[in-house]
Amino acid sequence: MQNIISENLAQVHAQMKAACDLCSRTPESVHLLCVSKTKPISMIKDAYAAGERHFGESYALEAVDKIAALKAEGFNDIVWHFIGPIQSNKTKHIAAHFDVVESVDRLKIIERLNDQRPDECGPLKIMLQVNISHEEQKQGCEEEELPQLLASASSLPKLTVIGLMGVARIDASHEELLASFNRLRELKERYNTQYPELQELSMGMTHDLEEAIAAGSTEVRIGTAIFGEREYHHKA
């Protein structure tokens, strides 16, 4: 399995490099987030052995078990990202175990993550998720909510807002993808002067990483192309 994951990762990095070449960006300007939700620890270890250090999870309780088990084995340099919808009753687990939370989209969650972040962990890095697809069922705040969320999160001592995250419509055309991703970049640039730590743009997955990188993404979130199809029966 390790060879398969190593080969898959090589293909993903080749795709990312090709996308960077097309828009004259350096490959180092975009990093890979390996989406390991529903995947066993053995697969995370395989990707780790291939050099990966950033992993994304969406189910808090399942992730906490993985994080604890891997740390007990000495895997202490993994950067854990939470990328799924955030339930209020799970914020304590997320605040205590993750390094980055990308899917923050409302004030209540911001306040709970701050209040429940353990002192010894240092400030929690967060991204604000914006609903760039304008789909009712999608997570994310609306553009007009951003100023208040940025101001509130930036005023709290245990949080650092490092960027914005967005998910494009799955069936969007090339032009629509570019428009959605460019809009998120424009929002980041608009608020970056006031909030200098707002540097990251988490956007792009397997099917739309080319458009995301062209629009300025600094992180692409890839799961299936690395680990295979999701196994939802493992969901916690």
Side-chain angles (χ1 to χ4, degrees):
M1 180 58 74
Q2 183 174 342
N3 287 339
I4 293 172
I5 288 178
S6 294
E7 290 170 8
N8 290 347
L9 281 165
Q11 290 180 357
V12 168
H13 282 290
Q15 275 184 283
M16 292 170 63
K17 183 182 184 303
C20 287
D21 289 345
L22 280 174
C23 57
S24 301
R25 292 184 61 186
T26 62
E28 295 75 26
S29 66
V30 189
H31 74 260
L32 173 62
L33 177 63
C34 301
V35 179
S36 51
K37 63 180 181 182
T38 79
K39 297 302 177 184
I41 285 174
S42 60
M43 286 189 173
I44 296 175
K45 288 181 179 178
D46 289 343
Y48 182 97
E52 302 302 328
R53 293 297 181 270
H54 290 260
F55 292 87
E57 295 282 335
S58 295
Y59 307 121
L61 299 184
E62 172 195 302
V64 166
D65 289 343
K66 291 183 188 177
I67 293 168
L70 283 163
K71 284 187 174 179
E73 292 187 44
F75 292 87
N76 295 312
D77 59 341
I78 292 176
V79 181
W80 293 100
H81 298 239
F82 191 83
I83 59 173
I86 303 174
Q87 298 172 287
S88 296
N89 64 347
K90 300 294 192 303
T91 52
K92 185 174 182 180
H93 300 288
I94 295 168
H97 292 90
F98 282 85
D99 304 294
V100 185
V101 183
E102 301 194 9
S103 44
V104 179
D105 62 359
R106 56 198 189 278
L107 184 58
K108 179 181 180 181
I109 297 301
I110 287 171
E111 292 172 341
R112 288 178 69 89
L113 289 173
N114 177 77
D115 294 345
Q116 295 173 329
R117 179 68 168 177
D119 292 336
E120 65 271 17
C121 293
L124 176 64
K125 295 177 181 178
I126 69 168
M127 298 189 199
L128 298 179
Q129 182 175 355
V130 183
N131 185 0
I132 58 173
S133 67
H134 305 295
E135 296 173 273
E136 287 186 14
Q137 72 273 25
K138 281 278 175 68
Q139 301 293 313
C141 69
E142 298 303 321
E143 289 182 19
E144 57 269 22
E145 296 176 287
L146 259 184
Q148 181 193 2
L149 295 180
L150 281 166
S152 298
S154 298
S155 71
L156 296 172
K158 295 184 182 179
L159 300 180
T160 302
V161 188
I162 63 166
L164 303 178
M165 188 262 258
V167 181
R169 199 159 56 85
I170 189 71
D171 57 350
S173 65
H174 172 74
E175 292 75 19
E176 185 181 338
L177 288 171
L178 278 175
S180 295
F181 292 143
N182 278 322
R183 182 58 184 157
L184 194 63
R185 188 199 72 245
E186 290 165 3
L187 289 169
K188 193 265 285 187
E189 290 172 348
R190 178 193 299 179
Y191 297 110
N192 184 226
T193 304
Q194 187 175 357
Y195 303 101
E197 291 173 315
L198 196 72
Q199 297 287 335
E200 301 294 327
L201 275 176
S202 175
M203 54 190 196
M205 297 182 282
T206 304
H207 67 285
D208 56 16
L209 71 80
E210 186 175 299
E211 290 87 355
I213 288 173
S217 176
T218 63
E219 173 189 273
V220 292
R221 308 179 302 270
I222 309 293
T224 303
I226 300 170
F227 300 112
E229 292 297 326
R230 295 170 188 166
E231 300 170 27
Y232 285 109
H233 60 277
H234 287 161
K235 178 178 172 180

